[in-house]
Amino acid sequence: MLELVTLPAAFGMRNVSPFCLKIEMLLKSLDLRFTLGELGNPGKAPKGKLPFLVADGKKIADSELITEYLDAETGGEVYAGLSKEQKAQGVALARLIEDHLYWLLVASRWADEDWWPNVERDFFGNLPVIVRQLVARLARRRVIQTIQLHGLGRHSLEEQKGFARRDLEALAAAVPAEGFLFGDTPGIFDFTVAGFMAGVYDNQPVTWVTELAVEYDRLRAYTERVQEAVGVWGRK
Ligand SMILES: N[C@@H](CCC(=O)N[C@@H](CS)C(=O)NCC(=O)O)C(=O)O
């Protein structure tokens, strides 16, 4: 039996982490038996981030390493049927989403003064009142420093919106108007895109990234189509 350890529900989402949702979709599509576990403090995960997968008593951290593990365990089912070129496109899309647009989503939640109280409530709300504010503020400072180190945090909000718009435009052009990226059924790279966009479209209340993303009907319809096809939704 496999256990996928993810963040608890937040912001109207059952599974709020795009990396966790991607793996949940993948496990379901591979027809593997698994349970979902929750960890409120990612600092306690093997690499300080979620998800991790518990398999045969071993903890595998990082969604890409989990994907590689599952591919090996299933005899190559994860990437089956993908050409070298398709895999290259999928990896490029994953990098765009997970190493660029993701940080803008993080900024829209953690750095936005108006949105921040939602993070404090949903991520830190179950801590004792006496330490809640302190722990939340320290965590916020660390996340804002990380976005600064990444580089995107050094831009003005208007400039960040420009970067997000160009990412979303690229994604909207990359996904098909019908069906899935590379086949008749959704695969790992569809789960990467849709797992991420589900959290952009459905997080409550909307962030400034959501406000930009709703302009892209094709991307929204595709995100719904993938969730529907695999039977896994990010929202509650
Ligand atoms: N490269 C990792 C990224 C995972 C990640 O950033 N997870 C976030 C939740 S969406 C996390 O645990 N963040 C906690 C932290 O950075 O302290 C993966 O693909 O699994």
Side-chain angles (χ1 to χ4, degrees), residues 7 16-19 22 42-43 48-51 61-64 98 102-103 142:
L7 282 174
V16 72
S17 159
F19 306 99
K22 168 179 71 172
K49 284 180 187 263
L50 294 169
D62 190 283
S63 64
E64 188 164 318
E98 297 181 350
Y102 169 71
W103 289 107
R142 194 176 59 84

Side-chain angles (χ1 to χ4, degrees), residues 11-13 15-18 21-22 25 105 109 190-204 210 219-220 222-224 226-227 232-235:
F11 318 143
M13 302 286 298
N15 193 341
V16 72
S17 159
L21 191 55
K22 168 179 71 172
M25 289 173 166
L105 180 63
R109 289 175 176 163
D190 294 292
F191 305 145
T192 305
V193 180
F196 180 84
M197 290 309 302
V200 170
Y201 284 122
D202 289 332
N203 70 162
Q204 297 295 330
T210 320
L219 190 53
R220 190 169 203 168
Y222 165 85
T223 300
E224 285 303 310
V226 174
Q227 291 178 95
V232 175
W233 284 264
R235 61 181 171 259

Side-chain angles (χ1 to χ4, degrees), residues 64-192:
E64 188 164 318
L65 297 182
I66 296 171
T67 302
E68 293 295 306
Y69 169 84
L70 292 174
D71 189 53
E73 285 295 303
T74 56
E77 265 192 60
V78 174
Y79 301 111
L82 292 184
S83 68
K84 228 170 140 181
E85 289 74 20
Q86 289 171 329
K87 205 171 165 189
Q89 285 172 37
V91 170
L93 282 180
R95 299 291 182 256
L96 180 159
I97 291 170
E98 297 181 350
D99 293 328
H100 197 264
L101 187 53
Y102 169 71
W103 289 107
L104 293 163
L105 180 63
V106 172
S108 73
R109 289 175 176 163
W110 289 72
D112 182 328
E113 287 301 333
D114 293 336
W115 216 89
W116 159 249
N118 300 296
V119 178
E120 189 170 2
R121 183 197 61 222
D122 285 7
F123 281 176
F124 304 97
N126 56 3
L127 292 179
V129 183
I130 194 155
V131 292
R132 184 183 307 162
Q133 235 186 24
L134 180 70
V135 174
R137 278 192 194 153
L138 285 174
R140 185 180 192 210
R141 193 185 304 162
R142 194 176 59 84
V143 169
I144 290 175
Q145 269 171 1
T146 307
I147 306 168
Q148 287 276 335
L149 283 173
H150 178 286
L152 280 169
R154 299 169 197 216
H155 299 295
S156 69
L157 179 59
E158 275 321 300
E159 287 167 336
Q160 288 181 9
K161 286 185 179 177
F163 281 105
R165 221 177 262 118
R166 288 184 289 278
D167 286 354
L168 290 164
E169 208 156 297
L171 283 179
V175 300
E178 286 172 18
F180 307 102
L181 280 170
F182 304 123
D184 298 338
T185 53
I188 178 61
F189 297 118
D190 294 292
F191 305 145
T192 305

